[in-house]
Amino acid sequence: MGKIVLDRVTKSFGHVEVIPPLDLQIDDGEFVVFVGPSGCGKSTLLRLIAGLEDVTSGEIRIDGKDATETPPAARGLAMVFQSYALYPHMSVRKNIAFPLKMAGMAKDRIDEKVMNAAKVLNLSDYLDRRPGQLSGGQRQRVAIGRAIVREPAAFLFDEPLSNLDAALRVNMRLEISELHNTLATTMIYVTHDQVEAMTMADKIVVLNRGRVEQVGSPLDLYTAPRNLFVAGFIGSPRMNFIEGPAAAAHQASTIGIRPEHLTVSQESGQWEGRVSVAEHLGSDTFLHVQTADQGTLTARVDGEFPVRHGARVWLSPQETKLHRFDGNGLAMRENG
Ligand code: ADP
Ligand code: MG
C-alpha cells in the first residue's frame, strides 16, 4: 500500500509562506515526479510527506490514516537523498542492513533481505566493499538498497541523480524506472530536470512558487499545458511564444508553437528569417531563426536538413498544433 493524500497542506518558514494551500493525491503504485525550478518548494513538499518538516496547517493521509503528526520513522516511507549518506567505514552489506539492524531484526532475516535487495540492484558482487571502492552509480544503488530492505509504503527521492555525470544519469534513470516496474511500490521523485520528469513519471506535478501549476501524464502536459508556465517549462527546446498581431489573428494574447511544429522551407512561408545558429544533434537539428517580426524562433528539423548558419528560411506553424493563451496566461480551448 502507498496512497498519499495532501489535504490543504501549507508550510511557512517564519512568516514566509513557501507552500500555499495545496491538495494532491498520489495513488498506490504510482511513479509521481515533482518538477519545477530551483526554490519552488519541491524538497519542502517531499520533506513534509516524509515528516522531516512539520506542516503549518492541513492534513497528510497515508493509506487512509491521518499521518500529519506521525514521526518520520513510523510513516513507513523511505527517503533517498542526493548525497548518498552512506557510512564510509561500513561494507555495502552493513550499509544496506543498517535500518534492519537498528529495528532489531534477526540476523538471518536481515541477511536474506540484504541478498534480495542486492540482487535486484546488481550489487551482489560488491557486498563486502566499502562505499569508497564503488562508483557513483553503485553508491546510489546502495542508498536505494537501504531503502528497499525496509519495504516502505513509498520511496521518496530528492534529486538522487544530480551528482552523477550525464551518461550515468541516463543509466540510473532507466534503473530506477525498472525498479519501479519490479517493486510496483509508490515512488515520489523530485527533480528540476523536465527530461527526467517526462521520461520517468506516470504522473507529473509541476510546481511553481509552491503552487501546483498542473498535474497530469507526461503527454497530457506536453500536448495540453494549462498555462504559459507549464508550456514553457515542459519540452526542450522550449515552446516558441508569439505575441502581438500574429497572436491576435488567433484571438489570443499569446500563441505557442513547439519547435517540431514549425515547418521550415527555403522558398516560402509565413515568417521569413535567417538561421542564426544551427545545432546539429545528429538525429535532429535545431534551427534558431532570427525573424523580422517575431524575434528568434526555434525549429526542429531532420538531422539531414541541408541548411547552414546565415541561410534564409521561412517558418510556418502547423495550425492544428498551435497553443493559444489569454491575457492571464491561461490556455484557451477551442471556441474558448
Ligand atoms: P526546491 O527543492 O524546489 O529547490 P525548497 O523546497 O528547498 O525548493 O525551498 C523552497 C523555498 O523554501 C525556498 O525559497 C527556500 O529558500 C525556502 N526554505 C526551504 N527550507 C527552509 C528553511 N529551513 N528555512 C527557511 N526557508 C526555507
Ligand atoms: Mg530541492
Side-chain angles (χ1 to χ4, degrees), residues 13-14 16 18-19 36-45 47 53 158-159 190 207:
F13 291 107
V16 182
V18 175
I19 310 281
S38 179
C40 72
K42 304 178 296 291
S43 294
T44 301
L45 200 54
R47 291 169 61 81
E53 296 280 357
D158 193 352
E159 310 236 10
V190 162
L207 292 167

Side-chain angles (χ1 to χ4, degrees), residues 34-305:
F34 296 168
V35 69
S38 179
C40 72
K42 304 178 296 291
S43 294
T44 301
L45 200 54
L46 200 69
R47 291 169 61 81
L48 290 172
I49 293 171
L52 299 174
E53 296 280 357
D54 293 329
V55 303
T56 302
S57 66
E59 193 175 294
I60 296 176
R61 288 190 292 277
I62 300 174
D63 290 327
K65 282 197 229 94
D66 184 356
T68 318
E69 307 290 331
T70 308
R75 292 192 185 198
L77 310 174
M79 188 128 172
V80 181
F81 297 93
Q82 177 199 112
S83 57
Y84 318 117
L86 301 178
Y87 300 103
H89 59 285
M90 286 187 196
S91 65
V92 167
R93 186 191 309 281
K94 287 200 168 142
N95 264 286
I96 296 178
F98 190 76
L100 304 182
K101 198 167 170 215
M102 291 304 283
M105 189 180 277
K107 187 173 177 310
D108 49 345
R109 281 204 62 209
I110 293 181
D111 285 346
E112 187 192 331
K113 283 181 184 262
V114 170
M115 298 295 263
N116 285 340
K119 207 162 126 197
V120 170
L121 294 164
N122 289 320
L123 286 172
S124 303
D125 295 338
Y126 302 91
L127 285 171
D128 296 315
R129 291 204 195 176
R130 292 196 178 179
Q133 299 168 302
L134 301 177
S135 70
Q138 288 168 331
R139 271 179 245 167
Q140 185 56 267
R141 295 211 294 266
V142 176
I144 296 171
R146 198 165 53 187
I148 288 181
V149 292
R150 294 175 48 202
E151 297 177 12
F155 292 87
L156 312 181
F157 293 96
D158 193 352
E159 310 236 10
L161 309 185
S162 306
N163 287 344
L164 306 178
D165 67 47
L168 199 51
R169 236 174 12 234
V170 173
N171 251 330
M172 282 304 291
R173 209 163 81 194
L174 286 172
E175 285 187 22
I176 293 175
S177 293
E178 277 174 21
L179 186 68
H180 178 250
N181 292 340
T182 306
L183 301 175
T185 305
T186 307
M187 292 187 177
I188 308 178
Y189 186 103
V190 162
T191 178
H192 63 274
D193 179 348
Q194 61 91 26
V195 176
E196 276 182 23
M198 289 296 283
T199 52
M200 299 175 85
D202 294 321
K203 183 156 101 187
I204 298 178
V205 178
V206 182
L207 292 167
N208 180 27
R209 300 179 188 192
R211 285 175 209 283
V212 175
E213 295 279 357
Q214 191 168 359
V215 177
S217 72
L219 278 185
D220 283 345
L221 300 198
Y222 196 78
T223 55
R226 243 179 59 193
N227 55 39
L228 281 174
F229 181 84
V230 177
F233 192 78
I234 300 285
S236 175
R238 202 165 173 263
M239 184 186 282
N240 297 291
F241 293 121
I242 295 168
E243 296 171 353
H250 292 88
Q251 293 83 46
S253 174
T254 305
I255 53 173
I257 185 83
R258 295 210 182 271
E260 65 270 36
H261 299 142
L262 279 172
T263 303
V264 182
S265 161
Q266 287 169 293
E267 277 138 37
S268 64
Q270 193 155 341
W271 300 311
E272 186 187 349
R274 278 190 189 280
V275 174
S276 54
V277 179
E279 291 181 289
H280 297 284
L281 275 74
S283 55
D284 304 294
T285 297
F286 301 142
L287 301 181
H288 301 275
V289 178
Q290 185 65 49
T291 68
D293 302 325
Q294 316 302 342
T296 300
L297 299 178
T298 303
R300 168 184 254 148
V301 293
D302 195 87
E304 313 275 311
F305 194 85

Side-chain angles (χ1 to χ4, degrees), residues 307-321:
V307 75
R308 282 191 310 180
H309 166 76
R312 172 181 291 194
V313 294
W314 281 262
L315 304 176
S316 307
Q318 296 168 23
E319 295 288 328
T320 58
K321 303 290 191 180

